[in-house]
């Protein structure tokens, strides 16, 4: 099968005033990304997967696949605390026609590297869809070490890793593995390192800030692909500035959603207990006005 590449947006999950899934608003958010040429990554960190029920995660993926209608690829997150539940969700999601799935490391349970290897092998063995590892230790408490990833890369269904550890050193460690083999790729998670990853062999990125600035994200990718490094650098500089300004005010997924909500109220608020103070909201408003791109 062909490689998966390009810029993907970790799309927000819109809720109505009663905190129920707003399906029409989700479809419009998919259209925004499609109009920019961005792929969709659904029910991830910025999609508030940690607040969604099993059925909601399946429905979110179903809507994203339906709305994208093959115009851009859709990736779906399936990571759960237990291996059993990760497999169960993956089996439902793979029926929907997603291009691939990803799974964070188990959270709450402190895992050894051998346990992580066993976990991912069981998930990959049980599913028919391609699988990305997803490294986000600040949220899960478990880190995928490079040698663990090198071992897992030999599994035919494990095709890459989304690295959201947040450092250049982490990205570079996984890129070294990708350079060793043609069947394993890196998707960059940190918004500030999109261009760095592309310059060093990443196949693409999965970014939360693309909810706010989808054109800027796509510009990094398209300008780099065309060899216009000056424009790619300029787009990355703007993107990194948005990250620095916005994330200073609180939990990044909540900040992203609030900035988007200020521009597009129908996406709703984050589900509790996540709250945005009045002071943070006031600080986010000028950021939203400066960076939000109303497309689609």
């Amino acid at each position: 099968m062909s490689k998966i590449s390009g810029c993907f947006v970790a799309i927000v999950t819109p809720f109505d005033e009663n905190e129920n899934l707003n399906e029409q608003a989700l479809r419009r958010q998919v259209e925004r990304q499609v109009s920019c040429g961005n792929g969709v990554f659904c029910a991830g960190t910025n999609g508030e997967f940690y607040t969604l029920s099993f059925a909601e995660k399946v429905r979110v993926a179903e809507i994203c696949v339906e709305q994208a209608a093959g115009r851009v690829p859709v990736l779906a997150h399936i990571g759960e605390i237990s291996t059993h539940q990760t497999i169960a969700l993956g089996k439902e999601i793979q029926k929907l026609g997603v291009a691939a799935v990803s799974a964070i490391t188990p959270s709450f349970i402190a895992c050894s590297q051998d346990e992580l290897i066993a976990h991912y092998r069981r998930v990959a063995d049980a599913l028919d869809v391609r699988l990305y590892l997803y490294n986000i230790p600040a949220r899960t408490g478990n880190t995928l070490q490079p040698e663990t990833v090198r071992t897992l890369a030999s599994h035919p269904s494990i095709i890459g890793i989304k690295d959201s550890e947040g450092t250049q050193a982490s990205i570079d460690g996984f890129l070294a593995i990708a350079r060793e083999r043609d069947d394993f790729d890196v998707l960059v998670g940190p918004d500030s390192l999109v261009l760095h990853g592309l310059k060093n062999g990443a196949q693409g990125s999965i970014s939360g800030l693309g909810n706010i600035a989808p054109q800027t994200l796509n510009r990094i990718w398209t300008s780099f692909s065309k060899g216009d490094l000056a424009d790619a650098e300029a787009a990355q500089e703007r993107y990194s500035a948005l990250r620095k300004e916005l994330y200073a005010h609180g939990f990044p997924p909540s900040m992203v959603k609030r900035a988007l909500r200020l521009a597009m109220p129908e996406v709703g608020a984050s589900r509790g207990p996540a709250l945005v103070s009045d002071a943070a909201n006031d600080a986010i408003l000028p950021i939203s006005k400066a960076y939000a791109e109303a497309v689609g």
Side-chain angles (χ1 to χ4, degrees):
M1 299 180 69
S2 61
K3 280 184 174 286
I4 296 171
S5 62
C7 46
F8 290 79
V9 172
I11 199 166
V12 300
T13 302
F15 301 122
D16 64 20
E17 62 276 9
N18 296 314
E19 296 192 11
N20 296 315
L21 178 62
N22 186 333
E23 296 191 0
Q24 289 307 310
L26 177 57
R27 290 183 185 278
R28 284 188 282 271
Q29 289 305 311
V30 173
E31 282 299 316
R32 284 182 73 228
Q33 299 306 330
V34 171
S35 72
C36 295
N38 297 331
V40 171
F41 176 70
C42 62
T45 305
N46 279 271
E48 297 177 73
F49 79 91
Y50 41 85
T51 74
L52 299 177
S53 70
F54 187 101
E56 286 173 328
K57 292 171 185 176
V58 175
R59 182 58 180 155
V60 164
E62 183 177 34
I63 290 169
C64 289
V65 171
E66 286 177 357
Q67 195 64 35
R71 293 172 292 170
V72 299
V74 175
L75 311 179
H77 176 250
I78 63 167
E80 301 284 353
I81 291 177
S82 74
T83 309
H84 175 81
Q85 281 298 100
T86 302
I87 291 170
L89 182 57
K91 285 185 174 181
E92 291 300 313
I93 296 292
Q94 71 182 8
K95 300 174 185 177
L96 304 176
V98 296
V101 296
S102 79
I104 59 168
T105 57
S107 60
F108 192 77
I109 301 168
C111 296
S112 68
Q113 295 301 298
D114 285 343
E115 286 170 327
L116 292 176
I117 289 171
H119 168 76
Y120 280 110
R121 280 177 172 167
R122 279 186 59 193
V123 173
D125 286 344
L127 301 181
D128 298 322
V129 68
R130 294 181 286 180
L131 173 66
Y132 285 98
L133 313 173
Y134 184 169
N135 187 48
I136 185 167
R139 301 299 173 201
T140 67
N142 289 305
T143 302
L144 282 164
Q145 300 292 346
E147 284 308 311
T148 297
V149 172
R150 183 173 278 105
T151 297
L152 289 168
S154 64
H155 193 290
S157 294
I158 296 176
I159 62 168
I161 185 169
K162 180 198 174 188
D163 181 39
S164 292
E165 195 229 63
T167 67
Q168 182 175 314
S170 179
I171 291 286
D172 289 348
F174 298 130
L175 285 169
I177 298 169
R179 286 192 291 270
E180 296 171 4
R181 45 191 315 143
D182 295 332
D183 58 352
F184 188 84
D185 298 320
V186 174
L187 297 178
V188 178
D191 307 290
S192 59
L193 294 173
V194 175
L195 185 56
H196 170 80
L198 296 178
K199 285 180 177 179
N200 289 279
Q203 284 295 309
S205 64
I206 299 177
S207 171
L209 290 179
N211 287 287
I212 303 165
Q215 292 170 315
T216 301
L217 173 62
N218 192 268
R219 182 178 153 205
I220 299 171
W221 166 256
T222 55
S223 294
F224 173 79
S225 299
K226 293 175 182 176
D228 188 349
L229 291 181
D231 192 62
E233 292 280 6
Q236 179 66 76
E237 184 176 348
R238 175 175 172 80
Y239 211 56
S240 296
L242 168 58
R243 179 185 185 275
K244 183 178 180 179
E245 292 179 37
L246 184 61
Y247 290 177
H249 298 289
F251 181 49
S254 296
M255 299 302 100
V256 167
K257 197 170 194 185
R258 179 51 59 96
L260 181 60
R261 183 188 184 190
L262 289 168
M264 304 184 72
E266 69 173 3
V267 300
S270 298
R271 276 181 171 166
L275 296 174
V276 178
S277 69
D278 291 342
N281 188 72
D282 292 344
I284 293 167
L285 180 57
I287 298 171
S288 179
K289 288 181 176 179
Y291 291 98
E293 297 165 353
V295 296

